[in-house]
Amino acid sequence: MQDSGHTPEWSGPKVERTLRNGKHIYFSTFKAWLVEQASRPGASVAGLALRNGVNANLLRHWMKLGHWQSGTPTLLPVTVLAQQPC
């Protein structure tokens, strides 16, 4: 299968540690990068997960969590009122 070249490869470490039962604990930076790549228009979540050795359902779970989203935070409008004297 030929890579389309749309997604850059992760260059850092992926797995922080492996538990006795074989489950992996992934680095937060890797998770954030993977979610960012999967959120791009036209990205294949399953293909991206497969290329990076992560289960596609796990990647979708990380995407739903929302706290891995990087980028600019959304600012809300604020109205400041003058304080009334007592």
Side-chain angles (χ1 to χ4, degrees):
M1 186 164 157
Q2 187 177 2
D3 186 24
S4 63
H6 293 290
T7 306
E9 292 299 318
W10 175 256
S11 59
K14 297 177 184 179
V15 178
E16 186 173 350
R17 63 188 165 129
T18 303
L19 303 177
R20 288 184 189 178
N21 61 3
K23 291 183 181 179
H24 297 300
I25 304 297
Y26 294 94
F27 281 103
S28 296
T29 52
F30 172 65
K31 292 182 197 179
W33 178 83
L34 205 53
V35 168
E36 179 185 339
Q37 296 300 315
S39 300
R40 292 185 176 187
S44 167
V45 174
L48 185 62
L50 185 63
R51 281 195 307 275
N52 287 281
V54 175
N55 186 292
N57 291 329
L58 181 59
L59 177 53
R60 286 187 187 96
H61 175 71
W62 292 341
M63 292 173 74
K64 278 193 239 177
L65 290 177
H67 64 271
W68 301 113
Q69 296 291 339
S70 60
T72 309
T74 304
L75 299 177
L76 301 175
V78 176
T79 304
V80 178
L81 302 174
Q83 187 177 9
Q84 299 290 329
C86 295

